[in-house]
Amino acid sequence: MPTTMPSIISPYALASTYPRNGELEAWSRVQEYRRVQDYCADHPEEGSHAVSTALELPRSRIRPWIDGDAKPEPIRAIDTARDLGWLDVDVDTEGGHAWTRLIAWIYAGGSLAADTYQPRFYARTDQRKQFVKSEMDILASALSDVGASYRIIKRTEKAPEEMYGDERVNEIVVRENATLLGRCFAAAGAHVGAKTHEEPSGLPEWLFDASPETRAAWCRVYLLNRGTFREREPAWAMKEERADSYHEDVKRLFTALTHPEVVSRSGHTIFLHSRALDALLDY
């Protein structure tokens, strides 16, 4: 039997980014709403009182769903995300690669606000990296591939991420459905909130089940953002103050795609031999 490719964002995971409402978890609200809609489709003449009695649900909760166009927030998010083509994307497709690149960017050169899920991306304005495409080219392509519009803010002050030092960067802000996009990133396992020496503690598990091509897409973006080129071997250094478990996940990804001899780690820094980049660009 052919193996099923893992998907990145499920309706359940997206709903789980919403808080519980009273006694109900978000997914339970989704299931309850669908149960009510299914019953109403089969009994179109019944009003909210009859539906409440038949399903043994509080009338006050379901009446806005029946007499008006109200929906629980998680349902609206799922419906919109499905219309945008953001749900159940197979990781090993072109669309999956776009999501993979954006999620890598959240880890390496972006953030998800803990209170609003607003995603922010940063891209350097100089071209000192030894890659075929610039950071902005790759980021713009990935956002376009998932159908996200954006605007660019050219920052003049020091960038907020320690990775950029004193470099000036472009800040890329999503224009429409930004919070929903951020929730989708979170549903895919991207880290939410500030990054510290303890968080994030690791990478999404689906990354390790994805094809080498998908993992390479993640690693190329990560190296593009985090890598510092050196005039000696190992040619690349990726330094950040993160948990040991996180560093080990990153090292494991790069090692599986290249060779143990060209990937090493010392404390908070992962080193790559120049041959590692050659291997990543071959996928």
Side-chain angles (χ1 to χ4, degrees), residues 66-279:
I66 299 171
D67 298 338
D69 60 354
K71 294 181 180 180
E73 280 188 299
I75 278 286
R76 289 194 183 279
I78 290 170
D79 289 348
T80 303
R82 181 172 286 113
D83 290 343
L84 292 168
W86 291 354
L87 291 183
D88 295 322
V89 177
D90 290 330
V91 299
D92 296 330
T93 61
E94 288 187 11
H97 288 181
W99 282 101
T100 298
R101 293 196 298 273
L102 292 173
I103 291 166
W105 219 288
I106 291 294
Y107 278 98
S111 64
L112 280 181
D115 53 345
T116 64
Y117 288 92
Q118 174 79 33
R120 294 189 181 275
F121 303 92
Y122 304 96
R124 275 171 279 212
T125 57
D126 63 18
Q127 303 301 319
R128 291 185 291 171
K129 293 292 173 180
Q130 297 186 0
F131 284 82
V132 176
K133 288 187 175 182
S134 72
E135 292 183 14
M136 195 62 237
D137 289 334
I138 294 173
L139 179 55
S141 175
L143 288 168
S144 176
D145 286 347
V146 302
S149 61
Y150 60 90
R151 62 189 176 96
I152 300 173
I153 303 173
K154 293 185 177 180
R155 303 181 67 98
T156 56
E157 70 274 19
K158 183 178 177 180
E161 292 283 338
E162 77 283 357
M163 55 180 279
Y164 294 114
D166 292 320
E167 294 180 61
R168 289 183 296 175
V169 298
N170 290 328
E171 181 177 348
I172 294 83
V173 180
V174 178
R175 287 183 181 275
E176 298 177 3
N177 297 305
T179 297
L180 178 58
L181 182 66
R183 287 185 182 275
C184 285
F185 290 143
H191 177 70
V192 179
K195 298 166 189 168
T196 69
H197 66 283
E198 295 180 347
E199 294 290 342
S201 59
L203 298 175
E205 195 58 39
W206 58 262
L207 258 179
F208 299 97
D209 296 327
S211 69
E213 291 77 13
T214 300
R215 285 177 278 145
W218 194 95
C219 288
R220 287 194 295 266
V221 166
Y222 199 83
L223 180 58
L224 179 66
N225 277 273
R226 282 287 171 183
T228 298
F229 183 73
R230 296 146 36 107
E231 296 295 336
R232 63 189 185 280
E233 294 290 3
W236 296 89
M238 299 183 294
K239 182 178 181 180
E240 52 188 330
E241 301 288 329
R242 300 289 182 263
D244 284 345
S245 55
Y246 177 79
H247 285 303
E248 285 303 308
D249 270 5
V250 174
K251 181 184 175 185
R252 180 157 61 110
L253 267 187
F254 278 91
T255 301
L257 292 167
T258 56
H259 192 279
E261 291 183 357
V262 301
V263 184
S264 60
R265 178 190 165 201
S266 176
H268 291 294
T269 306
I270 294 175
F271 296 98
L272 301 177
H273 192 280
S274 55
R275 285 182 294 150
L277 177 58
D278 295 336

Side-chain angles (χ1 to χ4, degrees), residues 12 15-33 61 65 72 74:
Y12 173 82
S16 297
T17 67
Y18 287 85
R20 64 184 302 128
N21 184 4
E23 64 193 49
L24 291 180
E25 295 286 355
W27 185 244
S28 296
R29 290 155 61 197
V30 170
Q31 293 176 308
E32 186 175 87
Y33 175 83
R61 189 157 72 220
W65 305 345

